[in-house]
Amino acid sequence: MTIGTVVLLPRAHLPGDDADAVDSDPAAERREIAAELLAHGIKVYVVPDAPDSDDDDLRHATAHWVAHNAMTLTAAQPEKPIMLVAFGAAGQLLAALGFSQKAPRRPVASYVVVNGSIPKPGSSDWPDAPVTYISAHGHNSEHLRQAELRGWSVEKTDDVAATLRSIVRDS
């Protein structure tokens, strides 16, 4: 399935998760990746960061992130099908966001997790599209091993944008 738009999702700030503290400016990283993809003629949509939620409840923080991204994608109407790219803790929320795209008939062609946690197994119809786990800048974790065990495509790279270009080109 040819990818219409690469969607770069914001970080998820989940209670008890400090994994995203490694990057000094994650928004800058998304902007740099977007600029490089655009320079190669790939359509990109960078979802703005969600307003902060002061809620310390994981379920509420998860619902807040998924709802923000689903509503933003509905308003933006990116060209279909989309590739959802999540960084850090947002990776574990990809299944929920992917499901939210079914109602507006916005097919997800591919999922990508960059240095992040991954959704828990258990849903019989997810993933409904190919998943790639990108281990960038020497990042290695239990999540990388879990992605390998699930048979997902795993890429170890220092150039996330080049890897995303490759995924788009091969779709």
Side-chain angles (χ1 to χ4, degrees), residues 90-96 113 117-122 126 131 146 150 152:
Q92 67 186 294
L93 307 178
L94 276 178
V113 179
S117 49
I118 59 177
K120 292 185 167 116
W126 194 92
V131 181
Q146 289 175 15
R150 290 184 188 187
W152 295 350

Side-chain angles (χ1 to χ4, degrees), residues 95-115:
L97 185 59
F99 284 130
S100 78
Q101 298 309 293
K102 291 182 180 196
R105 295 185 181 8
R106 186 174 304 107
V108 177
S110 180
Y111 297 93
V112 177
V113 179
V114 180
N115 290 347

Side-chain angles (χ1 to χ4, degrees), residues 131-134 147 151-155:
V131 181
T132 302
Y133 188 96
I134 297 176
W152 295 350
S153 199
V154 173
E155 301 288 337

Side-chain angles (χ1 to χ4, degrees), residues 2 13 29 43-44 51 70 72 86 103 118 128 159 167:
T2 303
H13 302 287
E29 178 185 18
K43 292 180 183 163
V44 180
T72 302
I118 59 177
D128 53 350
D159 192 343
I167 295 168

Side-chain angles (χ1 to χ4, degrees), residues 56-71:
D56 286 338
D57 183 283
L58 179 61
R59 290 174 301 171
H60 291 153
T62 297
H64 177 77
W65 186 90
V66 171
H68 165 77
N69 288 288
M71 290 186 304

Side-chain angles (χ1 to χ4, degrees), residues 12-31:
H13 302 287
L14 302 178
D17 180 57
D18 60 355
D20 290 335
V22 174
D23 295 328
S24 58
D25 190 357
E29 178 185 18
R30 288 189 306 139
R31 285 191 304 269

